[in-house]
Amino acid sequence: MTITRRQLLEAGWSDFQIRQSRRQLVITSVLPGRYYEAGDATSPPNFAWNATAQVLLDRGGPSAVLSHRAAAAIHRFDLYTDEPRPKPEITVPYGSTFHPKDGLIHRTRDLADLDVVKDLTHLGFPMTSKARTILDLSRLLTLKDLEIVVESALRSSVPTDPTAWDRDTLERLEQLSHLMRPGAGKLRTVLRQRPPGCRPTGSIYETRGVQAFRLEGLGHLDRQETLTVIDDESGETRTVFPDVGEYTVGVTVEFDSHKYHKDRREAERKRDNHIGKAVRILRFDHSIPLAKVAREVRAELDKARRRQWPDPTWKVTREPNKTVIRIPRPTRLSVNDRRDRQL
C-alpha cells in the first residue's frame, strides 16, 4: 500500500528522483519517509487517508486504535461527515515510545476491550466505539455540539425501522459519563437533558431545533414520541413519530431538514391528512431561523391551551413515550335530535 524511502533507494531511485516525483505528484508523502503512488485510478476513495492511518497504526503497535475525530468521521457522526476527513488520530497505551512528527497521538490507561471495534466499512481498522469516541470528544466540544454528536450516534443504522435505535450506546455512555475524565461532566449534562427513553432526533436540524426550544422555555415538550391515530370511520390506522409535540393540547412539530426531498411530499401529505384529524401539525422548513420557529411554536401552544382538546367523543390513551388516539365513527342523529340541535 505504501513504500518507504529506503525501499525506493534500494530499488535504484536517487534523492533527486524522489524529490522530482513528489514535485510532479507521481508519489505523495504519507508520513516522513513514507509514500504512496498518486493519481492511481484504481485507488479507493480516501486512499491517502487510509494509507496515513495504516502507517500510524503500524507504528503505534498492536494496541493502537483510531480515535477522536478520525473515529468520529468513520462512525459518520454529525459535524464529521464532510470531506476531506479530519487528520488521522490514534490512541495508544501509556508507555508507548511512538512520537510521530505528523498526525496526532493520545495516550490512555483505561481503554476497555468493549470500547474497541473494527471498522467494517473500509479496511478493518481497529478504532474506538461510538461511546468511547464521544467521551474522547467531549472535552473538545461545546455542550451544543456534543449534544448533536450524541444524538447522531444513537440513531439506528436501519432507517427503514423507525422504532430501532442504539440503546447499547446510550447505556455505555451513561457508564462512561461517571468516569473521572476531562469532559465527562459535559457528557453527563447532555445525557440529563434527554427525556428518559426517547428516541434520538432525526437530523442535525432537528437537534438544533430542540436546543432552540430549550432556550425558549419549551424544553418540556415530548420528543420522538410514538403517536397512533385510529380512525374508525375510514378504518385507517397510522403510527408516526413526530419530532416534537405537546400531546396534552394536541400539537406536534415537524422539522423538514435539507434531506426532505420532493418525492416524499405526497406520502407526507397523505400522512398529515390522517394525523391532522386528531392533532395540529406545524411544519417548518430548514431555511427558517430556529429562534423564529421556537417563538411561533410557543404562540401556537398558548392558543391551543385555550381550546378544548381532545374531542369528548375520542378515546386518548397515554403511556410513557406513546399516545394512542381513537376517533369513533360519527353517530347518526334522529330527526328529533337534529331538530333539538337546530333549536
Side-chain angles (χ1 to χ4, degrees):
M1 192 174 188
T2 62
I3 190 170
T4 65
R5 181 180 184 84
R6 176 177 296 181
Q7 289 171 327
L8 289 175
L9 294 174
E10 291 176 353
W13 287 48
S14 65
D15 290 336
F16 174 77
Q17 287 176 312
I18 294 175
R19 290 195 301 270
Q20 191 71 4
S21 297
R22 291 188 62 186
R23 191 175 298 113
Q24 296 175 356
L25 299 181
V26 176
I27 60 174
T28 302
S29 176
V30 176
L31 286 175
R34 287 267 184 170
Y35 307 94
Y36 72 92
E37 185 177 358
D40 185 357
T42 63
S43 297
N46 295 306
F47 180 80
W49 194 93
N50 293 337
T52 306
Q54 187 63 62
V55 170
L56 287 171
L57 290 172
D58 290 344
R59 292 187 178 182
S63 299
V65 295
L66 289 175
S67 63
H68 293 75
R69 286 157 286 218
I74 298 179
H75 284 307
R76 303 293 295 172
F77 291 164
D78 285 345
L79 304 180
Y80 295 94
T81 57
D82 296 335
E83 297 290 347
R85 289 180 178 174
K87 202 170 186 178
E89 300 175 66
I90 66 171
T91 293
V92 299
Y94 268 97
S96 174
T97 58
F98 179 42
H99 298 280
K101 295 180 181 179
D102 293 327
L104 297 177
I105 186 170
H106 308 271
R107 303 181 189 279
T108 184
R109 291 190 178 95
D110 59 357
L111 185 60
D113 291 340
L114 75 162
D115 290 326
V116 178
V117 297
K118 290 286 186 180
D119 168 25
L120 301 180
T121 59
H122 294 85
L123 300 176
F125 293 141
M127 63 181 186
T128 51
S129 64
K130 288 182 177 181
R132 178 55 192 247
T133 302
I134 291 173
L135 178 64
D136 291 337
L137 292 173
S138 59
R139 67 182 181 86
L140 308 173
L141 300 175
T142 64
L143 281 173
K144 287 187 176 182
D145 287 348
L146 182 58
E147 184 177 9
I148 290 172
V149 171
V150 168
E151 292 298 321
S152 65
L154 297 180
R155 290 178 202 137
S156 171
S157 58
V158 186
T160 56
D161 185 2
T163 62
W165 55 283
D166 200 341
R167 293 176 175 83
D168 293 337
T169 294
L170 178 60
E171 181 179 353
R172 185 57 178 159
L173 281 172
E174 292 283 359
Q175 297 170 358
L176 293 176
S177 67
H178 291 89
L179 295 179
M180 299 299 293
R181 286 177 53 94
K186 286 195 288 187
L187 181 56
R188 285 195 301 272
T189 300
V190 169
L191 295 177
R192 289 195 194 106
Q193 291 173 346
R194 299 196 80 252
C198 80
R199 296 170 60 247
T201 61
S203 66
I204 187 172
Y205 177 61
E206 184 181 333
T207 307
R208 294 192 188 280
V210 169
Q211 294 170 347
F213 280 14
R214 195 179 295 131
L215 293 176
E216 193 65 25
L218 301 175
H220 64 282
L221 299 183
D222 300 301
R223 290 166 45 185
Q224 293 290 337
E225 183 163 318
T226 303
L227 173 63
T228 301
V229 177
I230 305 171
D231 188 352
D232 288 342
E233 182 178 13
S234 64
E236 187 178 6
T237 300
R238 282 183 181 264
T239 298
V240 295
F241 306 89
D243 297 336
V244 178
E246 184 166 337
Y247 299 95
T248 57
V249 295
V251 175
T252 64
V253 180
E254 293 285 357
F255 297 100
D256 295 334
S257 67
H258 65 281
K259 294 182 180 180
Y260 182 76
H261 300 294
K262 292 181 179 180
D263 55 0
R264 288 178 46 195
R265 289 182 180 172
E266 182 62 22
E268 296 286 355
R269 185 184 65 79
K270 292 179 180 179
R271 189 199 75 165
D272 288 356
N273 287 342
H274 179 81
I275 302 299
K277 297 177 183 178
V279 298
R280 177 166 171 73
I281 303 173
L282 306 176
R283 282 193 174 274
F284 296 96
D285 185 77
H286 69 279
S287 61
I288 304 175
L290 289 170
K292 179 180 179 181
V293 171
R295 290 193 297 269
E296 291 184 9
V297 170
R298 188 181 185 86
E300 288 292 336
L301 290 176
D302 291 339
K303 293 179 183 177
R305 294 188 184 100
R306 295 192 291 269
R307 296 192 296 263
Q308 181 183 8
W309 189 94
D311 188 288
T313 63
W314 298 352
K315 182 179 179 181
V316 180
T317 305
R318 290 277 293 157
E319 299 177 12
N321 296 308
K322 182 178 181 180
T323 298
V324 179
I325 303 174
R326 178 181 288 274
I327 303 177
R329 187 173 299 163
T331 58
R332 295 185 177 180
L333 299 176
S334 65
V335 175
N336 292 333
D337 290 337
R338 288 197 297 270
R339 186 183 300 113
D340 293 340
R341 287 202 171 188
Q342 290 173 357
L343 294 176

